[in-house]
Coordinates of all heavy atoms in Angstrom, one line a residue:
M1170 N 153.7 78.3 111.8 CA 155.1 78.0 111.8 C 155.5 76.7 111.0 O 154.8 75.9 111.1 CB 155.5 77.8 113.3 CG 157.0 77.7 113.6 SD 157.3 77.6 115.4 CE 159.1 77.6 115.3
A1171 N 156.5 76.8 110.3 CA 156.8 75.8 109.3 C 157.3 74.6 110.2 O 157.8 74.6 111.2 CB 158.0 76.2 108.5
D1172 N 156.9 73.4 109.6 CA 157.3 72.1 110.2 C 158.2 71.4 109.6 O 158.1 70.9 108.4 CB 155.9 71.4 110.3 CG 156.2 70.0 111.0 OD1 157.2 69.7 111.4 OD2 155.1 69.2 111.1
P1173 N 159.5 71.3 110.1 CA 160.6 70.5 109.4 C 160.3 69.0 109.0 O 160.9 68.4 108.2 CB 161.8 70.6 110.4 CG 161.2 70.9 111.7 CD 159.9 71.6 111.4
T1174 N 159.4 68.4 109.9 CA 159.0 67.0 109.6 C 158.0 67.0 108.4 O 157.6 65.8 107.8 CB 158.3 66.4 110.6 OG1 157.1 66.9 111.0 CG2 159.2 66.4 111.9
D1175 N 157.6 68.1 107.8 CA 156.6 68.1 106.9 C 157.1 68.9 105.6 O 156.3 69.4 104.7 CB 155.3 68.8 107.2 CG 154.1 68.5 106.4 OD1 154.0 67.4 105.8 OD2 153.2 69.4 106.2
K1176 N 158.4 69.0 105.4 CA 159.0 69.8 104.3 C 159.1 69.0 103.0 O 159.1 67.7 103.1 CB 160.3 70.4 104.6 CG 161.4 69.3 104.9 CD 162.7 69.9 105.4 CE 163.8 69.0 105.8 NZ 164.9 69.8 106.4
W1177 N 158.9 69.7 101.9 CA 159.0 69.0 100.6 C 160.3 68.4 100.5 O 161.4 69.0 100.8 CB 158.6 70.0 99.5 CG 157.2 70.4 99.4 CD1 156.7 71.6 99.8 CD2 156.2 69.6 98.9 NE1 155.4 71.6 99.6 CE2 155.0 70.5 99.0 CE3 156.1 68.4 98.2 CZ2 153.8 70.0 98.6 CZ3 154.8 68.0 97.9 CH2 153.7 68.7 98.0
E1178 N 160.3 67.2 99.8 CA 161.7 66.5 99.7 C 162.5 67.0 98.6 O 163.7 66.8 98.6 CB 161.3 64.9 99.3 CG 160.5 64.7 98.3 CD 159.0 64.9 98.5 OE1 158.5 64.9 99.6 OE2 158.2 64.9 97.5
D1179 N 162.0 68.0 97.8 CA 162.8 68.5 96.6 C 163.5 69.9 97.0 O 163.9 70.5 96.3 CB 162.0 68.6 95.4 CG 160.5 69.3 95.6 OD1 160.2 69.5 96.7 OD2 160.0 69.5 94.5
N1180 N 163.3 70.2 98.4 CA 164.1 71.3 98.9 C 165.6 70.9 98.7 O 165.7 69.7 98.8 CB 163.7 71.6 100.3 CG 162.6 72.4 100.5 OD1 162.4 73.5 100.3 ND2 161.5 71.6 101.0
V1181 N 166.6 71.9 98.4 CA 167.9 71.5 98.5 C 168.2 71.1 99.9 O 167.9 71.5 100.8 CB 168.6 72.7 97.9 CG1 168.7 73.8 99.0 CG2 170.1 72.4 97.4
G1182 N 169.3 70.2 99.9 CA 169.9 69.8 101.1 C 171.0 70.7 101.5 O 171.2 71.8 101.0
G1183 N 171.8 70.3 102.4 CA 172.8 71.1 102.8 C 172.6 72.1 103.9 O 171.5 72.4 104.2
E1184 N 173.6 72.8 104.3 CA 173.5 73.8 105.4 C 174.4 74.9 104.9 O 175.5 74.8 104.5 CB 174.1 73.3 106.6 CG 173.9 74.1 107.8 CD 174.3 73.4 109.2 OE1 175.5 73.2 109.3 OE2 173.4 73.1 110.0
A1185 N 173.8 76.2 105.1 CA 174.5 77.4 104.7 C 175.4 77.8 106.1 O 174.8 77.8 107.1 CB 173.6 78.5 104.3
D1186 N 176.5 78.4 105.7 CA 177.2 79.1 106.8 C 177.5 80.5 106.3 O 178.4 80.6 105.5 CB 178.6 78.3 107.1 CG 179.3 78.9 108.3 OD1 179.0 80.1 108.7 OD2 180.2 78.1 108.8
V1187 N 176.8 81.3 106.8 CA 176.9 82.8 106.4 C 177.5 83.6 107.5 O 176.8 83.9 108.5 CB 175.7 83.3 105.9 CG1 175.8 84.9 105.3 CG2 175.1 82.6 104.6
E1188 N 178.7 84.0 107.3 CA 179.4 84.9 108.3 C 179.2 84.3 109.8 O 178.9 85.0 110.7 CB 178.9 86.3 108.3 CG 179.2 86.9 106.9 CD 178.6 88.3 106.7 OE1 177.8 88.7 107.5 OE2 179.0 89.0 105.6
G1189 N 179.4 82.9 109.9 CA 179.4 82.4 111.2 C 178.0 82.0 111.6 O 177.9 81.3 112.8
S1190 N 176.9 82.2 110.9 CA 175.6 81.7 111.3 C 175.2 80.6 110.4 O 175.4 80.7 109.1 CB 174.7 82.8 111.5 OG 174.3 83.4 110.2
R1191 N 174.6 79.6 111.0 CA 174.2 78.4 110.1 C 172.7 78.4 109.8 O 171.9 78.8 110.7 CB 174.6 77.1 110.9 CG 176.0 77.1 111.2 CD 176.4 76.1 112.2 NE 176.6 74.8 111.5 CZ 177.8 74.3 110.9 NH1 178.7 75.1 110.8 NH2 177.8 73.2 110.3
H1192 N 172.4 78.0 108.6 CA 171.0 78.1 108.1 C 170.6 77.0 107.2 O 171.4 76.5 106.4 CB 170.8 79.4 107.4 CG 171.0 80.6 108.2 ND1 170.1 81.2 109.1 CD2 172.2 81.2 108.4 CE1 170.7 82.2 109.7 NE2 171.9 82.3 109.3
V1193 N 169.4 76.4 107.5 CA 168.9 75.4 106.5 C 167.4 75.8 106.2 O 166.5 75.6 107.0 CB 168.9 74.0 107.2 CG1 168.3 73.0 106.1 CG2 170.2 73.6 107.6
F1194 N 167.3 76.6 105.1 CA 165.9 77.0 104.8 C 165.2 76.0 104.1 O 165.8 75.1 103.3 CB 166.0 78.3 103.9 CG 166.3 79.5 104.6 CD1 167.6 79.9 104.7 CD2 165.3 80.3 105.3 CE1 167.9 81.1 105.6 CE2 165.7 81.4 105.9 CZ 166.9 81.7 106.1
Y1195 N 163.9 75.8 104.2 CA 163.1 74.8 103.5 C 161.6 75.4 103.4 O 161.3 76.4 104.1 CB 163.0 73.6 104.2 CG 162.5 73.6 105.6 CD1 161.1 73.5 105.9 CD2 163.3 73.9 106.8 CE1 160.5 73.5 107.0 CE2 162.6 74.1 107.9 CZ 161.3 73.8 108.2 OH 160.7 73.9 109.5
V1196 N 160.8 74.8 102.5 CA 159.4 75.0 102.4 C 158.6 73.8 102.8 O 159.1 72.7 102.3 CB 159.1 75.5 100.9 CG1 157.6 75.7 100.8 CG2 159.8 76.7 100.5
D1197 N 157.6 73.9 103.6 CA 156.8 72.8 104.0 C 155.5 72.7 103.1 O 155.3 73.5 102.4 CB 156.6 72.7 105.5 CG 155.5 73.6 105.9 OD1 154.8 74.2 105.1 OD2 155.3 73.7 107.3
R1198 N 154.7 71.7 103.4 CA 153.6 71.3 102.6 C 152.3 72.3 102.8 O 151.4 72.1 102.2 CB 153.1 69.9 102.9 CG 154.1 68.8 102.3 CD 153.8 67.5 102.7 NE 154.9 66.7 102.3 CZ 155.3 66.0 101.1 NH1 154.3 66.3 100.2 NH2 156.3 65.5 100.9
E1199 N 152.6 73.2 103.5 CA 151.5 74.3 103.7 C 151.5 75.3 102.6 O 150.7 76.1 102.4 CB 151.7 75.1 105.0 CG 151.4 74.3 106.3 CD 149.9 73.8 106.3 OE1 149.0 74.6 106.1 OE2 149.8 72.6 106.7
C1200 N 152.6 75.3 101.7 CA 152.9 76.2 100.6 C 151.6 76.3 99.7 O 151.1 75.1 99.2 CB 154.0 75.8 99.8 SG 154.3 76.8 98.4
I1201 N 151.1 77.5 99.4 CA 150.0 77.6 98.5 C 150.5 78.3 97.2 O 149.7 78.7 96.3 CB 149.0 78.6 99.1 CG1 149.6 80.0 99.4 CG2 148.3 78.0 100.3 CD1 148.6 81.0 99.9
L1202 N 151.8 78.2 96.8 CA 152.4 78.5 95.5 C 151.9 80.0 95.3 O 151.4 80.3 94.1 CB 151.9 77.5 94.4 CG 152.7 77.5 93.2 CD1 154.2 77.3 93.3 CD2 152.0 76.6 92.2
C1203 N 152.2 80.9 96.1 CA 151.9 82.3 95.8 C 153.0 83.1 95.2 O 152.8 84.3 94.8 CB 151.4 83.0 97.1 SG 152.9 83.2 98.3
S1204 N 154.2 82.6 95.2 CA 155.4 83.1 94.6 C 156.1 84.3 95.4 O 156.9 85.0 94.9 CB 155.1 83.6 93.2 OG 154.9 82.5 92.4
V1205 N 155.5 84.7 96.6 CA 156.1 85.7 97.4 C 157.6 85.4 97.7 O 158.5 86.4 97.6 CB 155.2 85.9 98.7 CG1 156.1 86.8 99.7 CG2 153.9 86.6 98.3
C1206 N 157.8 84.2 98.1 CA 159.3 83.9 98.4 C 160.2 84.1 97.2 O 161.3 84.6 97.4 CB 159.3 82.5 99.1 SG 158.7 81.2 98.0
S1207 N 159.8 83.6 96.1 CA 160.7 83.8 94.9 C 160.8 85.2 94.5 O 161.7 85.6 93.9 CB 160.3 82.8 93.8 OG 158.9 83.0 93.5
D1208 N 159.9 86.1 94.8 CA 160.0 87.5 94.6 C 161.0 88.1 95.5 O 161.7 88.9 95.1 CB 158.6 88.1 94.6 CG 157.7 87.8 93.5 OD1 158.1 87.2 92.5 OD2 156.4 88.1 93.7
H1209 N 160.9 87.7 96.8 CA 161.8 88.3 97.8 C 163.3 87.7 97.7 O 164.3 88.3 97.9 CB 161.3 87.9 99.2 CG 160.2 88.9 99.6 ND1 160.5 90.1 100.3 CD2 158.9 88.9 99.3 CE1 159.3 90.7 100.5 NE2 158.3 90.0 99.8
A1210 N 163.4 86.5 97.3 CA 164.6 85.8 97.3 C 164.8 85.0 96.1 O 164.9 83.7 96.1 CB 164.8 84.9 98.6
P1211 N 164.9 85.5 94.8 CA 165.0 84.8 93.6 C 166.2 83.9 93.5 O 166.2 83.0 92.7 CB 164.8 85.9 92.6 CG 165.3 87.1 93.2 CD 164.9 87.0 94.6
A1212 N 167.3 84.2 94.3 CA 168.4 83.4 94.1 C 168.3 82.1 95.0 O 169.2 81.2 95.0 CB 169.6 84.2 94.5
N1213 N 167.3 82.1 95.7 CA 167.2 81.0 96.7 C 165.9 80.1 96.7 O 165.8 78.9 97.1 CB 167.3 81.5 98.2 CG 168.6 82.3 98.3 OD1 168.6 83.5 98.1 ND2 169.8 81.7 98.5
F1214 N 164.7 80.8 96.1 CA 163.6 80.1 96.1 C 163.0 80.1 94.7 O 163.1 81.1 94.0 CB 162.5 80.8 97.1 CG 162.7 80.5 98.6 CD1 163.6 81.5 99.2 CD2 162.3 79.5 99.4 CE1 164.0 81.3 100.6 CE2 162.5 79.3 100.6 CZ 163.4 80.2 101.2
R1215 N 162.3 79.0 94.3 CA 161.6 79.1 93.1 C 160.6 77.9 93.0 O 160.5 77.2 94.1 CB 162.6 78.7 91.9 CG 163.3 77.3 92.1 CD 163.9 76.9 90.7 NE 164.6 75.6 90.9 CZ 164.1 74.4 90.8 NH1 162.8 74.2 90.7 NH2 164.8 73.3 90.9
M1216 N 159.8 77.9 92.0 CA 158.8 76.9 91.8 C 159.3 75.6 91.7 O 160.3 75.4 91.0 CB 157.8 77.2 90.6 CG 156.6 76.3 90.5 SD 155.6 76.6 88.9 CE 155.1 78.2 89.3
S1217 N 158.7 74.4 92.3 CA 159.2 73.2 92.1 C 159.1 72.7 90.6 O 158.3 73.3 89.8 CB 158.4 72.1 93.0 OG 157.0 72.2 92.6
D1218 N 159.9 71.6 90.1 CA 159.8 71.2 88.8 C 158.4 70.7 88.4 O 158.0 70.8 87.2 CB 160.9 70.0 88.6 CG 162.3 70.6 88.6 OD1 162.5 71.7 88.4 OD2 163.2 69.7 88.8
D1219 N 157.7 70.3 89.3 CA 156.3 69.8 89.0 C 155.3 70.8 89.2 O 154.1 70.7 88.9 CB 156.0 68.6 89.9 CG 156.0 68.8 91.4 OD1 156.1 70.0 91.8 OD2 155.7 67.9 92.2
E1220 N 155.8 72.1 89.4 CA 154.9 73.2 89.4 C 153.8 73.1 90.5 O 152.7 73.7 90.2 CB 154.4 73.7 88.0 CG 155.4 73.9 87.0 CD 155.0 74.2 85.7 OE1 153.7 74.3 85.4 OE2 155.8 74.6 84.8
D1221 N 154.0 72.5 91.5 CA 153.0 72.2 92.6 C 153.2 73.2 93.8 O 152.3 73.4 94.6 CB 153.2 70.8 93.0 CG 152.2 70.4 94.1 OD1 151.0 70.4 93.9 OD2 152.7 70.2 95.2
H1222 N 154.4 73.5 94.1 CA 154.7 74.3 95.2 C 156.1 75.0 95.1 O 156.7 74.8 94.0 CB 154.9 73.4 96.5 CG 155.9 72.2 96.2 ND1 155.4 71.1 95.6 CD2 157.1 72.2 96.5 CE1 156.5 70.3 95.5 NE2 157.6 70.9 96.0
D1223 N 156.5 75.9 96.0 CA 157.8 76.4 95.8 C 158.8 75.6 96.7 O 158.5 75.0 97.7 CB 157.8 77.9 96.3 CG 157.7 78.8 95.0 OD1 157.1 78.4 94.1 OD2 158.0 80.0 95.2
I1224 N 160.1 75.8 96.4 CA 161.1 75.1 97.3 C 162.4 76.0 97.4 O 162.4 77.1 96.8 CB 161.7 73.8 96.4 CG1 162.3 74.2 95.1 CG2 160.7 72.8 96.4 CD1 163.1 73.3 94.3
C1225 N 163.1 75.8 98.4 CA 164.4 76.4 98.5 C 165.4 75.6 97.7 O 165.6 74.4 98.0 CB 164.9 76.4 100.0 SG 166.5 77.2 100.1
F1226 N 165.8 76.1 96.6 CA 166.8 75.6 95.8 C 168.2 75.8 95.9 O 169.1 75.1 95.4 CB 166.4 75.6 94.3 CG 166.7 77.2 93.7 CD1 167.9 77.3 93.1 CD2 165.8 78.1 94.0 CE1 168.2 78.6 92.6 CE2 166.1 79.4 93.4 CZ 167.4 79.7 92.9
Q1227 N 168.5 76.9 96.7 CA 169.9 77.2 97.0 C 169.9 77.9 98.4 O 169.3 78.9 98.6 CB 170.4 78.2 95.9 CG 171.7 78.8 96.3 CD 172.8 77.9 96.1 OE1 173.0 77.3 95.0 NE2 173.5 77.7 97.3
Q1228 N 170.6 77.3 99.3 CA 170.8 77.9 100.5 C 171.7 79.2 100.4 O 172.4 79.5 99.4 CB 171.6 77.0 101.6 CG 170.9 75.7 101.9 CD 169.5 75.9 102.6 OE1 169.4 76.9 103.4 NE2 168.6 75.0 102.5
P1229 N 171.4 80.2 101.3 CA 172.0 81.6 101.1 C 173.5 81.3 101.2 O 174.1 80.6 102.0 CB 171.4 82.4 102.3 CG 171.0 81.3 103.2 CD 170.6 80.2 102.5
R1230 N 174.2 82.1 100.3 CA 175.7 82.1 100.3 C 176.3 83.4 100.7 O 177.5 83.4 100.9 CB 176.1 81.9 98.8 CG 175.6 80.5 98.2 CD 175.6 80.4 96.7 NE 174.6 81.3 96.2 CZ 174.1 81.1 94.9 NH1 174.7 80.5 94.1 NH2 173.2 82.0 94.7
T1231 N 175.5 84.4 100.9 CA 175.9 85.7 101.2 C 175.0 86.5 102.2 O 173.9 85.9 102.4 CB 176.0 86.7 100.0 OG1 174.7 86.9 99.5 CG2 177.0 86.1 98.9
A1232 N 175.5 87.5 102.8 CA 174.6 88.1 103.7 C 173.5 88.7 103.1 O 172.3 88.7 103.7 CB 175.4 89.3 104.5
A1233 N 173.6 89.1 101.8 CA 172.5 89.7 101.1 C 171.4 88.7 100.8 O 170.3 88.8 101.0 CB 173.0 90.3 99.8
E1234 N 171.9 87.4 100.5 CA 170.9 86.4 100.2 C 170.3 86.0 101.5 O 169.1 85.7 101.5 CB 171.6 85.2 99.6 CG 172.0 85.4 98.0 CD 172.5 84.2 97.3 OE1 172.6 83.1 97.9 OE2 172.9 84.4 96.2
L1235 N 171.0 85.8 102.5 CA 170.5 85.6 103.9 C 169.4 86.5 104.2 O 168.3 86.2 104.7 CB 171.5 85.6 104.9 CG 171.0 85.3 106.4 CD1 170.3 84.0 106.5 CD2 172.2 85.3 107.4
S1236 N 169.6 87.8 104.0 CA 168.6 88.9 104.2 C 167.4 88.6 103.4 O 166.2 88.7 103.8 CB 169.3 90.2 104.0 OG 168.2 91.3 104.3
D1237 N 167.6 88.2 102.1 CA 166.5 88.0 101.2 C 165.6 86.7 101.7 O 164.3 86.7 101.7 CB 166.9 87.8 99.8 CG 167.5 89.1 99.2 OD1 167.2 90.1 99.7 OD2 168.2 88.9 98.1
C1238 N 166.3 85.7 102.1 CA 165.7 84.6 102.6 C 164.8 84.8 103.9 O 163.7 84.4 104.2 CB 166.7 83.4 103.0 SG 167.4 82.7 101.5
R1239 N 165.4 85.7 104.8 CA 164.7 86.0 106.0 C 163.4 86.9 105.6 O 162.5 86.8 106.1 CB 165.6 86.7 106.8 CG 166.6 85.9 107.6 CD 167.5 86.7 108.5 NE 168.2 85.9 109.4 CZ 169.4 86.2 110.0 NH1 170.1 87.3 109.7 NH2 170.1 85.5 110.8
S1240 N 163.6 87.8 104.6 CA 162.5 88.5 104.1 C 161.4 87.5 103.6 O 160.2 87.7 103.8 CB 162.9 89.6 103.1 OG 161.9 90.2 102.6
A1241 N 161.8 86.6 102.7 CA 160.8 85.6 102.2 C 160.1 84.9 103.4 O 158.9 84.7 103.2 CB 161.6 84.6 101.3
M1242 N 160.9 84.5 104.4 CA 160.3 83.8 105.3 C 159.3 84.6 106.2 O 158.2 84.2 106.5 CB 161.4 83.2 106.3 CG 160.8 82.4 107.4 SD 162.2 81.3 108.4 CE 163.0 82.7 109.0
A1243 N 159.6 85.9 106.4 CA 158.7 86.8 107.1 C 157.5 87.1 106.4 O 156.4 87.5 107.0 CB 159.6 88.0 107.5
N1244 N 157.5 87.1 105.1 CA 156.4 87.5 104.3 C 155.6 86.4 103.8 O 154.6 86.6 103.1 CB 156.9 88.3 103.1 CG 157.4 89.7 103.6 OD1 156.4 90.6 103.8 ND2 158.6 90.0 103.7
C1245 N 156.0 85.2 104.0 CA 155.2 84.0 103.5 C 153.9 84.0 104.2 O 153.7 84.1 105.4 CB 155.9 82.7 103.8 SG 154.9 81.2 103.3
P1246 N 152.8 84.1 103.5 CA 151.4 84.3 104.0 C 150.9 83.1 105.0 O 150.0 83.4 105.8 CB 150.5 84.6 102.9 CG 151.1 83.8 101.7 CD 152.6 84.0 102.0
V1247 N 151.5 82.0 104.7 CA 151.0 80.8 105.4 C 152.2 80.2 106.4 O 151.9 79.1 106.8 CB 150.4 79.7 104.6 CG1 149.2 80.3 103.8 CG2 151.4 79.3 103.5
E1248 N 153.2 80.9 106.5 CA 154.2 80.5 107.4 C 154.9 79.0 107.0 O 155.1 78.3 107.8 CB 153.9 80.5 108.8 CG 153.5 81.9 109.3 CD 153.3 82.0 110.9 OE1 153.4 81.0 111.6 OE2 153.0 83.1 111.3
A1249 N 154.9 78.9 105.7 CA 155.4 77.6 105.2 C 156.9 77.5 105.0 O 157.5 76.5 104.7 CB 154.8 77.3 103.8
I1250 N 157.7 78.6 105.4 CA 159.1 78.6 105.2 C 159.8 78.5 106.6 O 159.4 79.2 107.5 CB 159.7 79.9 104.6 CG1 159.0 79.9 103.1 CG2 161.1 79.9 104.4 CD1 159.4 81.3 102.4
G1251 N 160.7 77.6 106.7 CA 161.4 77.4 108.0 C 162.9 77.5 107.8 O 163.4 77.6 106.6
D1252 N 163.6 77.7 108.9 CA 165.1 77.8 108.9 C 165.5 76.9 110.2 O 165.3 77.3 111.3 CB 165.6 79.2 109.0 CG 167.1 79.3 109.2 OD1 167.7 78.3 108.9 OD2 167.5 80.4 109.3
D1253 N 166.1 75.8 109.8 CA 166.6 74.8 110.9 C 168.1 75.1 111.2 O 168.6 74.2 111.9 CB 166.3 73.5 110.5 CG 164.9 73.1 110.8 OD1 164.1 73.9 111.5 OD2 164.4 71.9 110.5
G1254 N 168.7 76.1 110.9 CA 170.1 76.3 111.1 C 170.3 76.6 112.6 O 169.5 76.7 113.4
Ligands
SF4_96 S1 155.7 82.6 100.1 FE1 155.1 80.7 101.2 S2 153.2 80.1 100.4 FE2 154.1 81.5 98.9 S3 155.2 80.2 97.4 FE3 156.7 80.8 99.0 S4 156.5 79.1 100.5 FE4 154.8 79.0 99.2

């Protein structure tokens, strides 16, 4: 389970409000840079600028993006993605 006290500082800040539900997706330091999340949610997750790990660079703006983010979180092999919304 992802740890919000151990998340990468280069995740995007802010909070998403998608159809009345609030979300703050992030990647923590367990990330092994496998790219599963950016494959599932390319509008929301990508590799960090230093190419060391993935980050959430855009909180979900639509129900479709929220679904993609949830899919990314469910499929992360090391449970490095959290949602503090
Ligand atoms: S799916 Fe998980 S381990 Fe893989 S790049 Fe994304 S956050 Fe990192």
